[in-house]
Amino acid sequence: MSKRPTTTGAVVARLRRPFGGLRDTPIWAKLGLIMIVPTIATLVVGITGLVGNLETQSRAERARILANLSQVAGQLVHDLQNERAAAAMVLGTRDPGALSRNRAAYEKAQEAVDRARPPYTRQRSALARQTGNFRDVLNEIDANLAALDSLRNQVVNGKLTLTDAETDYQVLVTRLLSIRSSAAQLAGEPTLSDRMRAAAEISRIKDQLAERRVVVHQVFNQNSYTPKLRADFIATQTGQQQAENAFDTVATRRERGLYTQTVTGPGQREAAIYQGELSGKVDEDLRSLSFDAAKWDAAMREQADLVRSVEANLDAEMVRQATALRDRVQRQVLLEGSLLLGVLVLAIVFAVLVARSMARSLRELRQGALAVAQYGLPQAVARLREPAMTSQLSPTQVAKQIAEPLPVRSRDEFGQVTEAFNAVHLEAVKTAAEQAALRASVSTMFVNLARRSQILVDRLIGHLDRLERGEEDPDRLAELFQLDHLATRMRRNDENLLVLAGADSTRVQREPAALLDVLRAAQSEVEHYTRIEFGLVDRDIEIAAHAVNDLVHLIAELFDNATAFSPPDSHVLVEARRVGDRAVLYVEDKGIGISADQLADLNERLATPPMVDVTVSRMMGLVVVARLANRHGVRVELRPGAERGTIADVTLPESVLVPRAVAGRPAEAAERGAVVERGPAPRRDGDVPAGALPAGAAVPLPRPPAEGPLALQGPLAFAGRDEPTVVPGLPVRPNAPAAYSANGAGPQPAAPALNGSGPHGPAPRGIPAWSDLTGASLGP
């Protein structure tokens, strides 16, 4: 009594079940599984750092673009501030000479703005991704720049007041200045953001100076220092002071020193004096001022240029720092990416080296096994088909002689597997040799049985022939003919066994024969010979001597099948024509036909004769036709008829035909009266009893016409025994029984009974299809 599996064993089995598929995994996949965990860990760590660096690189690139945008926006703002001041002078001047000079200065300021716009447009286009508010600011700036030409025309034509013009310019300048504060927030790098804020505060300082410059122009335009203008003037001073304080907070010591050292000089002192006078003035009268609008504008312009130089210096430093940050991050990304790639490559190379040392022997074993399976073993089996190989040596000796072992290159497990495969290969060849010997024994057994049965059948036919010669009663003679026909079919079965065994027929044909004679001989071996009708048959087609007997056998099988598997009241039409160097034979019946799948299967079997096995016994006729056709290169193909039934298309190659130049000699021999019989002994006319046609006599044939194809209508008819038709070299015999005419002139063919019965017994019920090749015709 077997033991039940323990709990531990069940647990182990359950644990092994999920990994059972690893047994079928290739060796390379198994080796790859070893590297999965460390590779994944390396990839996770490396890719995480690489993704972070890529994000940093993206931010650095964005900061660089923002820095460049702030730089070009600063130059554009500076030029717009100068253009605004020039516009104020144009709108505040009434003297024609001064107005002309101010308009020229205004046009010059416009040219500077126009030169600064393309760089800004390029940098603005380079900024791909933008946040919502910043995108709106940039779009508004684009709209203001588009409307700048209209503003200029209104200024030149005097259609705007100074206040309105200053307001329009100030909106554009303010929005351009907001780029700096937005860029400082979007930079994403603290140090770079501080540099951007410092530059933004410098821009605010310069903007307050620019607004103060316009306020004083308004004072001169109104020729009065009104309280509102005084408040605006003081507001610009307050704004400038706040911007300077903010600059001191975010700027570095170097930046503060740069501002202190740069914003100084005569221009700065003159602007400070003018601003001091306005700051200390308490009334609206301008006559006490020591300067006019031109001097004021020149001093403020020089002071703005000084502040602009500081702004440009900070912008350049900001762009340089942003570019350096971008380059540093790029180098870091490339370095980490290269390290990650190098680690992966190193891991792959190491895995490949280890796997190569492990899998080399396995690969050689696989290639050797495939070579044995695809080439070595088939060649060995092909050599085993040689009779001398299996008859002279034992299976073990044959296996050792033809089985080539694989080389054993190592003593490890792979070498042991190679040795085991060599042992299996040797045993397989030994088994194949035993099977070849067994097949040879079976074939020999078929041949011996067929030969013995042929001897007995020939003796039986001989006895029947003697009885037929001495019998004068037509009824008894008809029964003897039936026995004669059965004996003939038994002999054909024996010949089928010889064909299956691969042996040649015992009968040897030494002379060629006309195809018509071959057809007549095949017809004489068919039970329902009266139903076979001949159509157009070319009389110049002759069959070579070595193929006559096999073609008679092949065509007889086709005739037998066509008559057996078609209605008993129908006829089988036979035609033969020469087509070039070949000849084509058609055998058409009127059966129910074959399905397309069955037809394809049968044609495949006819084209490639199957090996002898159990199924061959059920379709012997098919295999015999296929083997006989393959022996002589004849092509046999089944195809559906025009209306119904099946057509057997037999193509005779040039190798089985007699050339046209030598055709006709058998006909001449026939006229000389040479008769060859199929029976065991020749017959003499003196042995024929009156009114009887003995078995084994030559088939009487009508004389062919002088030229052209021979058209034969109806079944084979027997002529009188006094004028036998000569069939040169062809062993034929009328195996079917014959019915006698009323006057006793000679036997006439029994016509098929239309009512379902005839001289051979009742007709079979239910006409089978041609596809049933396992029956009595192409079967045994």
Side-chain angles (χ1 to χ4, degrees):
M1 182 174 180
S2 61
K3 296 182 180 180
R4 297 180 61 183
T6 61
T7 305
T8 304
V11 172
V12 173
R14 286 195 298 269
L15 290 176
R16 290 178 178 176
R17 192 175 302 145
F19 302 98
L22 292 176
R23 290 194 296 260
D24 300 330
T25 305
I27 186 65
W28 281 102
K30 294 178 181 178
L31 293 174
L33 289 176
I34 301 175
M35 302 298 299
I36 285 181
V37 175
T39 302
I40 290 178
T42 303
L43 286 175
V44 168
V45 175
I47 291 177
T48 301
L50 189 61
V51 168
N53 289 331
L54 288 175
E55 294 178 354
T56 304
Q57 178 185 358
S58 178
R59 291 194 300 269
E61 177 64 18
R62 183 180 180 85
R64 186 188 67 83
I65 296 176
L66 290 172
N68 288 325
L69 183 62
S70 299
Q71 185 181 34
V72 295
Q75 181 62 45
L76 182 60
V77 166
H78 180 71
D79 294 334
L80 282 172
Q81 289 170 346
N82 290 332
E83 182 178 339
R84 180 178 61 179
M89 294 182 68
V90 169
L91 294 175
T93 303
R94 292 173 179 80
D95 180 42
L99 180 61
S100 177
R101 291 192 300 272
N102 291 339
R103 285 181 177 177
Y106 185 55
E107 292 177 357
K108 187 176 181 181
Q110 291 178 8
E111 294 176 358
V113 172
D114 292 339
R115 288 193 299 270
R117 287 176 64 178
Y120 169 80
T121 303
R122 288 194 297 270
Q123 292 299 327
R124 188 249 188 274
S125 301
L127 192 62
R129 293 181 300 174
Q130 306 159 7
T131 59
N133 296 332
F134 191 45
R135 181 178 62 249
D136 295 339
V137 171
L138 293 178
N139 293 334
E140 292 172 353
I141 293 173
D142 294 339
N144 293 140
L145 288 175
L148 185 60
D149 293 336
S150 176
L151 176 62
R152 291 170 176 175
N153 291 330
Q154 293 176 358
V155 170
V156 173
N157 296 327
K159 294 181 179 181
L160 286 178
T161 63
L162 178 57
T163 303
D164 294 336
E166 193 276 336
T167 300
D168 292 340
Y169 275 106
Q170 185 60 35
V171 170
L172 177 57
V173 169
T174 302
R175 288 172 178 170
L176 284 171
L177 290 175
S178 65
I179 291 178
R180 290 186 176 276
S181 58
S182 299
Q185 296 176 0
L186 297 175
E189 210 281 330
T191 304
L192 182 60
S193 298
D194 291 340
R195 304 287 69 73
M196 289 183 173
R197 290 189 182 95
E201 297 303 328
I202 293 295
S203 298
R204 285 181 57 197
I205 294 173
K206 188 167 64 66
D207 183 56
Q208 295 299 322
L209 291 175
E211 289 185 9
R212 191 182 310 155
R213 179 180 177 184
V214 175
V215 169
V216 175
H217 280 300
Q218 289 179 345
V219 169
F220 284 109
N221 185 26
Q222 297 179 10
N223 198 20
S224 175
Y225 192 34
T226 63
K228 180 181 181 305
L229 294 176
R230 183 182 296 108
D232 292 340
F233 183 84
I234 294 172
T236 58
Q237 288 181 325
T238 304
Q240 179 181 354
Q241 185 61 42
Q242 292 176 352
E244 289 178 349
N245 294 336
F247 173 75
D248 292 337
T249 303
V250 298
T252 61
R253 180 181 299 177
R254 187 192 70 82
E255 293 170 344
R256 291 193 296 269
L258 176 66
Y259 178 77
T260 302
Q261 295 174 3
T262 304
V263 185
T264 185
Q268 171 65 18
R269 290 192 295 271
E270 186 177 2
I273 292 173
Y274 296 159
Q275 293 176 25
E277 291 181 9
L278 289 173
S279 298
K281 191 172 181 57
V282 294
D283 56 0
E284 298 181 3
D285 189 8
L286 301 180
R287 289 177 294 180
S288 62
L289 295 178
S290 63
F291 58 93
D292 57 5
K295 292 181 179 180
W296 167 259
D297 189 76
M300 295 301 294
R301 182 184 183 93
E302 185 175 355
Q303 185 181 15
D305 290 341
L306 295 175
V307 178
R308 171 59 190 161
S309 63
V310 176
E311 181 185 31
N313 190 290
L314 294 182
D315 286 340
E317 180 64 21
M318 175 181 62
V319 171
R320 185 196 64 77
Q321 185 175 353
T323 303
L325 176 63
R326 190 275 312 268
D327 295 341
R328 184 174 68 253
V329 174
Q330 281 186 345
R331 287 193 298 270
Q332 186 176 359
V333 169
L334 291 176
L335 179 60
E336 292 187 0
S338 301
L339 289 176
L340 179 60
L341 182 61
V343 170
L344 290 178
V345 170
L346 183 62
I348 292 174
V349 170
F350 180 75
V352 168
L353 292 177
V354 175
R356 187 177 180 182
S357 63
M358 294 177 59
R360 182 182 302 156
S361 299
L362 184 60
R363 183 172 59 252
E364 293 179 354
L365 176 60
R366 175 180 176 273
Q367 294 175 352
L370 290 177
V372 169
Q374 296 175 0
Y375 302 102
L377 195 57
Q379 291 178 358
V381 173
R383 292 183 61 186
L384 290 175
R385 295 195 181 105
E386 301 176 4
M389 179 66 68
T390 56
S391 61
Q392 298 177 1
L393 301 175
S394 65
T396 303
Q397 293 174 337
V398 171
K400 291 182 179 180
Q401 181 176 352
I402 65 177
E404 298 180 1
L406 298 178
V408 180
R409 304 184 184 278
S410 62
R411 294 296 180 182
D412 57 0
E413 288 79 1
F414 295 109
Q416 296 173 9
V417 172
T418 304
E419 293 178 353
F421 179 81
N422 289 335
V424 172
H425 181 203
L426 182 63
E427 190 64 25
V429 176
K430 178 181 176 182
T431 303
E434 293 175 352
Q435 294 295 325
L438 179 60
R439 287 194 298 270
S441 300
V442 172
S443 299
T444 304
M445 180 180 63
F446 279 177
V447 172
N448 293 335
L449 292 177
R451 300 294 189 199
R452 292 190 179 189
S453 179
Q454 274 188 326
I455 294 174
L456 296 177
V457 171
D458 287 340
R459 290 177 61 186
L460 177 60
I461 292 176
H463 286 301
L464 291 175
D465 289 343
R466 286 192 294 271
L467 292 176
E468 290 167 358
R469 294 191 191 98
E471 184 61 49
E472 296 182 0
D473 185 359
D475 295 334
R476 293 178 61 87
L477 186 59
E479 293 181 359
L480 290 175
F481 276 145
Q482 281 188 336
L483 295 176
D484 196 316
H485 173 72
L486 294 176
T488 303
R489 292 195 61 191
M490 292 174 61
R491 181 170 58 189
R492 183 145 54 89
N493 287 340
D494 294 336
E495 293 176 352
N496 288 344
L497 291 177
L498 291 176
V499 172
L500 295 179
D504 295 330
S505 175
T506 54
R507 292 173 285 112
V508 179
Q509 184 72 21
R510 292 185 174 85
E511 294 293 336
L515 177 60
L516 178 63
D517 298 337
V518 173
L519 297 177
R520 295 291 192 181
Q523 183 190 26
S524 68
E525 295 194 3
V526 178
E527 179 179 3
H528 303 287
Y529 69 95
T530 58
R531 292 168 49 198
I532 299 176
E533 292 185 355
F534 291 84
L536 295 178
V537 179
D538 289 349
R539 64 185 182 84
D540 63 340
I541 303 176
E542 295 187 3
I543 307 301
H546 69 278
V548 169
N549 290 329
D550 289 341
L551 288 184
V552 170
H553 191 175
L554 185 152
I555 298 172
E557 292 288 345
L558 296 178
F559 284 174
D560 201 358
N561 196 85
T563 56
F565 300 119
S566 60
D569 57 348
S570 65
H571 294 282
V572 176
L573 179 62
V574 182
E575 292 186 352
R577 297 182 182 87
R578 182 183 288 274
V579 181
D581 294 333
R582 300 173 300 165
V584 181
L585 173 66
Y586 303 98
V587 180
E588 181 178 5
D589 64 49
K590 300 299 181 182
I592 63 175
I594 313 174
S595 66
D597 294 339
Q598 290 177 327
L599 199 65
D601 180 65
L602 295 178
N603 285 327
E604 177 65 23
R605 292 176 180 271
L606 288 172
T608 306
M611 297 294 294
V612 178
D613 53 13
V614 178
T615 59
V616 171
S617 63
R618 296 194 299 269
M619 51 179 63
M620 184 182 297
L622 173 69
V623 179
V624 168
V625 170
R627 289 205 173 189
L628 291 176
N630 186 65
R631 181 182 296 176
H632 297 285
V634 176
R635 185 176 65 86
V636 180
E637 182 180 4
L638 304 180
R639 54 187 175 88
E643 298 179 356
R644 64 172 186 171
T646 306
I647 299 176
D649 190 344
V650 182
T651 302
L652 304 177
E654 185 180 3
S655 59
V656 301
L657 299 177
V658 176
R660 292 175 181 264
V662 296
R665 291 186 302 178
E668 298 174 359
E671 294 178 357
R672 291 195 299 268
V675 179
V676 178
E677 300 180 359
R678 174 181 263 183
R683 304 291 189 267
R684 297 188 302 273
D685 292 341
D687 298 334
V688 181
L693 180 63
V699 179
L701 299 176
R703 295 289 181 120
E707 59 184 10
L710 179 63
L712 302 178
Q713 301 296 333
L716 174 65
F718 296 108
R721 58 184 176 85
D722 294 335
E723 295 181 0
T725 300
V726 178
V727 183
L730 184 65
V732 297
R733 52 185 288 107
N735 298 305
Y740 286 83
S741 62
N743 57 8
Q748 299 297 326
L754 300 179
N755 57 0
S757 62
H760 312 305
R765 295 179 179 270
I767 304 302
W770 184 301
S771 61
D772 188 9
L773 292 181
T774 62
S777 178
L778 292 188

